[in-house]
Amino acid sequence: MSAAAESPLPPPVDPHAAAREVTRLSVAVAVILIAMKAFALGASGSVSILASLADSALDLAASLATFFAVRWAAAPPDDEHRYGHGKGEAMAALVQAGLIFASTVFIGWEAISRMIDPRPVTGGGWGVAVILASSLLTGWLVWRQTRTIRASGSLAVGADRTHYASDLAGNLVVLIGVASGAWLQAPGLDAAAGLVVAIWIFWGATGLLRRSADHLLDRQAPEADRIAVTEAVLADPRIGGVHRMRTRLAGTTLVVQMHIDLAADLSLQAAHEILEEAERRIQAVRPGADVMIHPDPHGAGPDARTAVPSSLIG
């Protein structure tokens, strides 16, 4: 037997452990960015760097919220939380959205004040160097967060990544503002750049608010998931149809409830076995799903086709 065949397979990735690790990195990066930008602000007096510093300070608060949220959300179900604690991530994302909105008010007010009363920008070289270094560090963190989201599907980590991804775009604006204020003697452009950063951050927060609210208000699962579940159930020819299907997300867990049509003359034991097999097929396409299926005698429920996503109706 070859050495390659004898080598054991790598252990599966623990999604919760991956999320916990990247939240530690996020907090550490936020602290480093705050220190760097505080130094750059003292050296330059740039309002666009002030805007970026305020954003990083809120990033730290958001990263700390994410740090604790992913640990609480990973806790198993208990007597008081039978569906688990997954929505803690959505609550953390909602808090993050509120912090971002608050930061845009502060940054926007300061930028408008500096546009009305421009102040000179000094130490442009330090400002540019710090923003370039922070962009590299932020880009590395976003890359790590993207890998973690693919492994865990964490909403809180996704919200944290939204912050840092918007920082990357905002840093470009800050670079323009610092350079124009320090070397083109146009401090008004620096203030305008700060205002653009505030608007950009506000726009990113609206999407974050919408996603977290959808999760907390039990918006149905994406159509791709509903199609996969429906196809898995209908793979058994003994199941005549699916109706009254409801889906939602509890953290990263897909919760599915549905009625299926079975022959009226089946025994309870036979119907139970069909339901168990259907649940196993759903678990195969969506591991960890929480499934509840109710059998109906064929013809007792509404037309099964009305419960199937439109893309499955041919």
Side-chain angles (χ1 to χ4, degrees):
M1 184 178 294
S2 65
E6 294 176 354
S7 61
L9 294 174
V13 177
D14 181 353
H16 296 303
R20 290 193 295 269
E21 179 184 359
V22 82
T23 57
R24 286 193 292 268
L25 291 176
S26 178
V27 171
V29 167
V31 171
I32 294 172
L33 291 178
I34 288 173
M36 292 170 60
K37 292 177 182 179
F39 170 78
L41 177 63
S44 67
S46 166
V47 70
S48 54
I49 289 182
L50 172 63
S52 186
L53 172 61
D55 186 38
S56 292
L58 286 171
D59 281 348
L60 175 59
S63 294
L64 286 170
T66 303
F67 178 88
F68 292 108
V70 297
R71 286 155 177 77
W72 188 65
D78 54 34
D79 291 339
E80 295 181 350
H81 305 90
R82 301 306 297 269
Y83 286 101
H85 303 78
K87 289 195 175 184
E89 292 196 8
M91 293 177 62
L94 198 64
V95 171
Q96 291 179 35
L99 290 173
I100 295 172
F101 284 128
S103 73
T104 60
V105 173
F106 169 74
I107 296 169
W109 177 264
E110 185 67 20
I112 293 173
S113 299
R114 294 288 186 96
M115 291 174 70
I116 296 173
D117 181 21
R119 304 174 195 175
V121 176
T122 59
W126 281 113
V128 169
V130 166
I131 295 301
L132 287 174
S134 65
S135 295
L136 291 175
L137 185 58
T138 301
W140 173 77
L141 176 62
V142 169
W143 174 71
R144 289 294 303 269
Q145 290 173 325
T146 301
R147 294 181 59 190
T148 300
I149 293 168
R150 290 173 181 168
S152 67
S154 171
L155 180 64
V157 174
D160 211 30
R161 184 185 63 171
T162 298
H163 285 160
Y164 290 101
S166 66
D167 285 352
L168 284 175
N171 282 348
L172 176 60
V173 179
V174 173
L175 281 174
I176 296 172
V178 174
S180 61
W183 298 321
L184 300 180
Q185 302 303 313
L189 290 178
D190 172 60
L195 184 60
V196 170
V197 172
I199 295 173
W200 179 269
I201 296 170
F202 181 89
W203 178 256
T206 56
L208 176 59
L209 178 65
R210 182 174 60 253
R211 290 192 298 274
S212 57
D214 284 345
H215 196 92
L216 291 172
L217 296 175
D218 289 334
R219 181 172 180 169
Q220 68 178 354
E223 184 178 14
D225 287 333
R226 290 182 282 124
I227 290 174
V229 168
T230 304
E231 288 179 336
V233 173
L234 296 179
D236 188 340
R238 295 172 295 178
I239 298 176
V242 176
H243 57 276
R244 295 181 64 182
M245 184 170 73
R246 294 186 293 178
T247 60
R248 65 184 179 90
L249 290 172
T252 57
T253 300
L254 175 65
V255 180
V256 184
Q257 299 175 346
M258 69 178 71
H259 290 220
I260 63 173
D261 291 335
L262 297 176
D265 58 353
L266 284 175
S267 68
L268 179 60
Q269 179 65 33
H272 175 74
E273 291 176 357
I274 293 173
L275 265 61
E276 288 288 314
E277 293 174 9
E279 289 184 12
R280 285 193 290 270
R281 291 194 300 275
I282 294 174
Q283 292 280 351
V285 299
R286 188 62 193 265
D290 188 320
V291 183
M292 180 177 293
I293 304 177
H294 177 81
D296 283 337
H298 186 70
D303 184 358
R305 294 167 66 89
T306 61
V308 181
S310 58
S311 55
L312 289 182
I313 299 176

